[in-house]
Amino acid sequence: MMQPALDDAALLARLVAFETVSGRSNVALCRFIADYLERCGAVVEQLPGTGDDRLNLVARVGPSSADAARDGLVLCGHSDVVPADEPEWEGDPFTLREAGERLIGRGACDMKGFVALAVNRVARAAAAGSTLRRPLYLLLCCDEEIGSLGARVFARNAAQIALLPRNVLIGEPTAGRVVRMHKGHLKLALQVSGRAAHSGLPHLGVSAIDGATDVLLALRRAAAQLAGIRTDTSAFFPECPYPALNVGLIRGGAAVNVVPADCRIDVGVRLLPGQAAPLALEVIQAELAALPAELRQRVRVDVTNDNPPMLCPVDAEIHRALAAIVGQSDSLGVSFASDAGVLSEAGLSCVLWGPGEMDRAHRPNEYITRGELAAAGDVLDRLIRQFCF
Ligand SMILES: [Zn+2]
């Protein structure tokens, strides 16, 4: 079998060149990775993702049937990146650029840097032939950045999940720290309806935006209530120890001379580990119930996406092993959601750990350093040796 053709940085450059912005095709990227890994001897499956042109990818090296204990390791990443429309980009975001130690490009940090490391390690393990005692998997999901949509499709297939080792490392940028908790992201749409009329004859209409004003105040009260909640995981989120409600978007009305018939309010709630959608919905519904009945009847609440929180037990094998390798004794939580929510809900044991820092991601001139890549590669090598050989 062939050795992997590219070093980690060169492979990263190839991956960055695929413009896999969320919601757009990732087929070319998946085809490239499948071909790259198959040449080395890995078994690759491209699976339906969130649409015809967006796929999930699973690659395996080592024994095919997981043993009863489901030993082995899954390296998991997402194939999509956030848009790169910011004017501050100093070059083409989809051409990896080198400046000193930095490798700059959209997705370099979140998270094609990790994906390049993972692909090369799976390729190398495959090229080494039959020496693996337990399986090593790569799981690449599409459309993570818009609500873990690809991972949700994957997790819905119980037979697919059952084939995987239970230990999953998700390579989100955590600056090399092991993260065993993250908040969820529950997205709601509140539709306020009214009746359109000429604004010169407002008594013939019912203003949806006027109604939305009261709904916004109810949401503010709900946010304040949620902000008073503490749980036993609050301590792991010192910057924001409560479920945070954000009114992120308002759209309403047709023209300045028309009484508006519609107003939509989009809300996100970052739930703590252990909390679920009904908690937030009950708090919000209780506030809405206090509105005048006439208005209450014109408000509809829909859950548009429910990305659950993640909580990996401190003594889970993957957490203990990775913490030991990086020399970390404390437990960490982060306030962003990831594919770990839906995958752990499906029964997998997930932690986040990866090179680069999240506050560099989703920004112009996103980068990873060569040093970060090399250090993360060493950690992955040790982890793979421990879990698969
Ligand atoms: Zn990410």
Side-chain angles (χ1 to χ4, degrees):
M1 286 299 173
M2 285 170 63
Q3 287 294 325
L6 302 169
D7 69 26
D8 296 332
L11 178 56
L12 171 59
R14 292 297 298 273
L15 299 182
V16 166
F18 294 99
E19 299 187 23
T20 52
V21 174
S22 313
R24 290 199 218 143
S25 174
N26 72 348
V27 172
L29 172 82
C30 288
R31 200 171 292 152
F32 169 79
I33 291 177
D35 183 57
Y36 188 91
L37 289 174
E38 279 167 351
R39 277 167 202 266
C40 299
V43 181
V44 185
E45 261 192 292
Q46 298 181 66
L47 302 166
T50 49
D52 290 343
D53 62 350
R54 278 163 286 161
L55 306 172
N56 293 325
L57 181 146
V58 180
R60 174 180 54 79
V61 188
S64 61
S65 56
D67 56 19
R70 292 177 65 186
D71 286 333
L73 180 65
V74 183
L75 304 177
C76 176
H78 57 81
S79 56
D80 59 321
V81 295
V82 296
D85 302 326
E86 305 98 330
E88 294 90 346
W89 278 95
E90 283 160 19
D92 174 18
F94 298 102
T95 303
L96 193 73
R97 196 159 49 86
E98 204 163 345
E101 264 279 283
R102 293 183 180 187
L103 301 169
I104 305 165
R106 174 53 86 224
C109 178
D110 185 12
M111 57 186 289
K112 287 178 172 174
F114 172 84
V115 172
L117 295 176
V119 168
N120 261 348
R121 270 134 198 92
V122 170
R124 232 184 277 152
S130 56
T131 50
L132 269 75
R133 291 180 29 236
R134 289 152 295 189
L136 173 64
Y137 276 78
L138 171 74
L139 170 60
L140 200 58
C141 295
C142 59
D143 284 348
E144 187 269 354
E145 299 284 4
I146 50 176
S148 289
L149 305 185
R152 193 178 302 274
V153 173
F154 183 83
R156 216 178 281 147
N157 188 330
Q160 245 162 229
I161 288 282
L163 283 177
L164 291 183
R166 69 181 187 290
N167 304 301
V168 181
L169 168 61
I170 298 180
E172 291 289 345
T174 63
R177 308 269 285 142
V178 188
V179 170
R180 70 175 183 93
M181 272 176 257
H182 70 54
K183 288 189 176 178
H185 199 194
L186 172 68
K187 295 177 190 164
L188 309 171
L190 282 76
Q191 295 276 1
V192 186
S193 53
R195 191 169 63 245
H198 189 285
S199 63
L201 300 167
H203 55 283
L204 298 181
V206 177
S207 169
I209 290 179
D210 191 54
T213 310
D214 290 324
V215 173
L216 287 170
L217 292 172
L219 287 170
R220 183 194 280 175
R221 289 189 293 273
Q225 277 203 46
L226 292 169
I229 295 178
R230 296 292 180 277
T231 72
D232 52 4
T233 62
S234 288
F236 298 100
F237 302 88
E239 283 183 271
C240 186
Y242 53 87
L245 184 155
N246 179 53
V247 175
L249 208 58
I250 302 179
R251 272 167 298 184
V256 75
N257 58 358
V258 178
V259 175
D262 297 288
C263 185
R264 173 177 161 141
I265 304 167
D266 281 274
V267 174
V269 187
R270 304 267 177 187
L271 293 168
L272 288 161
Q275 296 181 326
L279 168 91
L281 287 168
E282 274 165 31
V283 171
I284 291 168
Q285 292 288 10
E287 289 299 337
L288 294 177
L291 296 174
E294 180 280 326
L295 171 57
R296 180 67 199 89
Q297 284 163 12
R298 292 192 283 118
V299 182
R300 207 183 72 213
V301 181
D302 293 309
V303 174
T304 54
N305 192 272
D306 181 9
N307 213 350
M310 182 264 282
L311 174 61
C312 179
V314 66
D315 58 353
E317 193 185 0
I318 182 73
H319 182 257
R320 267 190 296 129
L322 196 53
I325 289 174
V326 304
Q328 180 181 328
S329 55
D330 55 342
S331 283
L332 279 187
V334 291
S335 285
F336 58 83
S338 82
D339 285 344
V342 283
L343 294 178
S344 54
E345 211 174 48
L348 299 173
S349 185
C350 305
V351 293
L352 306 188
W353 169 89
E357 286 163 22
M358 195 44 116
D359 54 11
R360 276 184 226 154
H362 301 204
R363 301 180 69 141
N365 306 306
E366 173 182 349
Y367 69 91
I368 191 108
T369 69
R370 280 188 178 272
E372 286 165 344
L373 273 187
D378 289 345
V379 171
L380 280 182
D381 289 337
R382 290 181 62 184
L383 193 72
I384 291 167
R385 222 173 299 134
Q386 191 172 330
F387 275 80
C388 304
F389 284 90

